[in-house]
């Protein structure tokens, strides 16, 4: 499918239905969609017991399917045409390193079975995602929650939204081997049109906050530099934070960096006594405090302040957490100079996407100038999309 970011969901579903019929010689009976996400602020705080503030977006993953009478699951992806139809049997859901992208759906089937749910039958399935792959917009959580929705609906609504998000995280941690937090699955699963989700990752309590941007829009800027978290420094950052907390715990009792104020961190960081670990921990603490300040600013309609806190978040991720890299830095720094009232990387970092809040009447010149600066430096284009804040996973009538 050519550039799906520009297609309507209706066009995508029509193409998927036709392709399914050609592929499986049968018509699909059900359709589903699951969104991706952006995180407005609160980055690398979810495994540090802090707050995150993400929202689901209208780019995501689509599926059409038909139930089978046996225990075989056939899945093809329009994003990976060369891998054709991939299959597994519901009697053997063990991880196989040769499965590639199939591990995400297969992992969800396994997570459901491990919960004690009976997987009654197989399916023929065709999926397609218009989330750029490896772009930090949670294409993997989108697929996990898509299958959470499919399994829940086809096998009678057994799990709640929070439980589904937890199952998705489990697949990521135990099946795929990325030690990620709960943010992505939670944001995708609990997404609501027009709202961002303030989630306390310590208690899993969440609150919806309306995003009223007036004459501004959120522009997603894609570096087109892919990254896979499995091979990235993601797990390393997580363990650096764990080490730093252990050292703090020798002198004071804090359950996580989310439980510390900036002042407390200042008072106790002598116990860490290591330049790198201090920087990592300082980000975890300050980013959490910034997120709380940002929510207050948003509630008071102080959009400029919200924007400056996004900028501060990027600075902290660039200099203290060191997860941005030249591609993201170029986009974000150039966004600051070209009309954005706030811009920062979003997601894990190491490539992928950044976001910027830009006034409507400056969006075209913003894209042109930031795009030019980026291309001059890296020799290839960045892509720009407008973020539409969307609902969580849903069935789409065929
Ligand atoms: C990835 C992980 C999330 C979160 C972010 C960084 O998206 O999957 O759990 O840690 O990085 O905020």
């Amino acid at each position: 499918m050519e550039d799906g970011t520009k297609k309507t969901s209706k066009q995508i579903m029509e193409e998927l239905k036709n392709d399914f019929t050609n592929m499986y010689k049968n018509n699909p009976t059900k359709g589903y969609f699951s969104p991706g996400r952006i995180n407005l602020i609160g980055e690398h705080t979810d495994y540090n017991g802090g707050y995150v503030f993400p929202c689901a977006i209208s780019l995501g993953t689509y599926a059409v399917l038909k139930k089978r009478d046996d225990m075989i699951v056939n899945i093809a992806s329009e994003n990976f045409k060369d891998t054709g139809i991939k299959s597994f049997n519901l009697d053997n859901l063990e991880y196989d390193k040769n499965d590639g992208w199939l591990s995400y759906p297969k992992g969800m089937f396994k997570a459901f079975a491990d919960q004690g749910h009976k997987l009654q039958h197989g399916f023929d399935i065709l999926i397609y995602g218009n989330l750029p792959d490896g772009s930090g917009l949670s294409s993997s959580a989108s697929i996990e929650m898509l299958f959470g929705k499919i399994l829940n609906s086809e096998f009678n609504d057994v799990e709640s939204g929070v439980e589904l998000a937890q199952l998705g995280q489990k697949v990521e941690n135990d099946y795929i081997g990325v030690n990620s937090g709960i943010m992505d699955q939670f944001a995708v699963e609990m997404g609501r049109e027009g709202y961002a989700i303030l989630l306390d990752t310590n208690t899993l309590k969440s609150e919806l906050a309306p995003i009223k941007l007036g004459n501004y829009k959120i522009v997603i800027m894609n570096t087109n530099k892919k990254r896979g978290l499995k091979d990235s420094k993601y797990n390393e950052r997580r363990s650096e934070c764990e080490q730093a907390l252990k050292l703090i715990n020798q002198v004071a009792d804090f359950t996580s960096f989310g439980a510390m104020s900036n002042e407390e961190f200042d008072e106790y960081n002598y116990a860490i006594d290591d330049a790198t670990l201090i920087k990592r921990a300082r980000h975890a603490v300050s980013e959490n405090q910034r997120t709380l300040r940002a929510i207050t600013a948003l509630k008071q309609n102080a959009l400029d302040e919200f924007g400056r806190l996004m900028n501060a978040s990027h600075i902290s991720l660039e200099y203290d957490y060191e997860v941005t890299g030249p591609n993201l830095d170029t986009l974000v720094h150039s966004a600051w100079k070209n009309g954005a009232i706030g811009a920062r990387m979003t997601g894990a970092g190491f490539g992928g996407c950044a976001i910027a809040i830009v006034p409507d009447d400056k969006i075209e010149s913003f894209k042109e100038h930031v795009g030019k600066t980026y291309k001059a430096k890296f020799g290839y284009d960045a892509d720009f999309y407008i973020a539409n804040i969307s609902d969580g996973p849903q069935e789409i009538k065929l």
Side-chain angles (χ1 to χ4, degrees), residues 99-154:
D99 277 339
W101 61 266
L102 188 70
S103 296
Y104 295 96
K106 192 173 159 189
M108 284 302 288
F109 275 87
K110 177 155 192 314
F112 253 68
D114 289 349
Q115 287 292 96
H117 302 311
K118 187 162 161 31
L119 305 176
Q120 297 144 25
H121 55 76
F123 298 93
D124 289 333
I125 307 176
L126 177 61
I127 63 174
Y128 169 69
N130 61 352
L131 278 169
D133 172 43
S135 63
L137 301 176
S138 287
S139 49
S140 50
S142 176
I143 299 178
E144 286 151 10
M145 295 299 92
L146 175 71
F147 279 85
K149 176 74 188 169
I150 290 174
L151 290 167
N152 230 13
S153 304
E154 301 290 322

Side-chain angles (χ1 to χ4, degrees), residues 37-50:
R37 69 98 189 85
I38 50 174
N39 186 21
L40 298 177
I41 192 160
E43 213 66 85
H44 289 279
T45 46
D46 65 345
Y47 51 86
N48 280 307

Side-chain angles (χ1 to χ4, degrees), residues 296-307:
T296 308
L298 198 69
K299 283 185 179 157
Q300 294 165 349
N301 280 326
L303 207 54
D304 283 333
E305 186 185 343
F306 187 84

Side-chain angles (χ1 to χ4, degrees), residues 25-253:
K25 312 291 172 229
N26 240 321
N27 293 329
T29 52
K30 293 274 190 67
Y32 291 92
F33 169 74
S34 169
R37 69 98 189 85
I38 50 174
N39 186 21
L40 298 177
I41 192 160
E43 213 66 85
H44 289 279
T45 46
D46 65 345
Y47 51 86
N48 280 307
Y51 284 86
V52 292
F53 195 46
C55 46
I57 56 173
S58 60
L59 300 173
T61 319
Y62 293 81
V64 288
L65 60 81
K66 186 174 177 5
K67 170 183 162 187
R68 291 177 62 90
D69 294 330
D70 57 16
M71 298 299 268
I72 305 289
V73 176
N74 293 315
I75 312 184
S77 164
E78 303 251 310
N79 299 83
F80 299 97
K81 282 219 156 109
D82 50 329
T83 56
I85 300 177
K86 292 193 154 230
S87 303
F88 56 87
N89 193 308
L90 291 175
D91 299 330
N92 178 13
L93 296 170
E94 287 316 307
Y95 179 79
D96 178 342
K97 66 175 183 336
N98 299 317
D99 277 339
W101 61 266
L102 188 70
S103 296
Y104 295 96
K106 192 173 159 189
M108 284 302 288
F109 275 87
K110 177 155 192 314
F112 253 68
D114 289 349
Q115 287 292 96
H117 302 311
K118 187 162 161 31
L119 305 176
Q120 297 144 25
H121 55 76
F123 298 93
D124 289 333
I125 307 176
L126 177 61
I127 63 174
Y128 169 69
N130 61 352
L131 278 169
D133 172 43
S135 63
L137 301 176
S138 287
S139 49
S140 50
S142 176
I143 299 178
E144 286 151 10
M145 295 299 92
L146 175 71
F147 279 85
K149 176 74 188 169
I150 290 174
L151 290 167
N152 230 13
S153 304
E154 301 290 322
F155 299 139
N156 304 325
D157 285 324
V158 278
E159 301 284 343
S160 72
V162 176
E163 282 165 341
L164 283 176
Q166 286 173 316
L167 284 189
Q169 187 194 8
K170 217 166 150 227
V171 168
E172 206 68 59
N173 295 170
D174 303 342
Y175 200 75
I176 311 283
V178 177
N179 232 344
S180 52
I182 187 84
M183 172 171 77
D184 300 349
Q185 290 77 12
F186 201 98
V188 167
E189 182 61 33
M190 308 303 262
R192 196 83 171 266
E193 192 179 333
Y195 291 83
I197 306 159
L198 175 63
L199 168 67
D200 178 351
T201 61
N202 206 18
T203 58
L204 291 192
K205 286 208 175 104
S206 67
E207 167 191 326
L208 289 170
I211 300 297
K212 294 193 209 110
L213 295 177
N215 298 327
Y216 292 84
K217 290 208 168 48
I218 301 172
V219 179
I220 301 173
M221 309 183 280
N222 186 355
T223 59
N224 285 319
K225 179 175 185 286
K226 289 189 187 173
R227 89 285 173 279
L229 290 192
K230 207 168 170 175
D231 329 302
S232 76
K233 302 249 173 215
Y234 186 91
N235 287 349
E236 184 181 303
R237 288 294 174 277
R238 191 169 176 155
S239 78
E240 284 168 342
C241 287
E242 282 161 9
Q243 284 175 53
L245 186 65
K246 260 197 202 137
L247 292 167
I248 292 244
N249 281 159
Q250 292 177 348
V251 296
D253 241 359

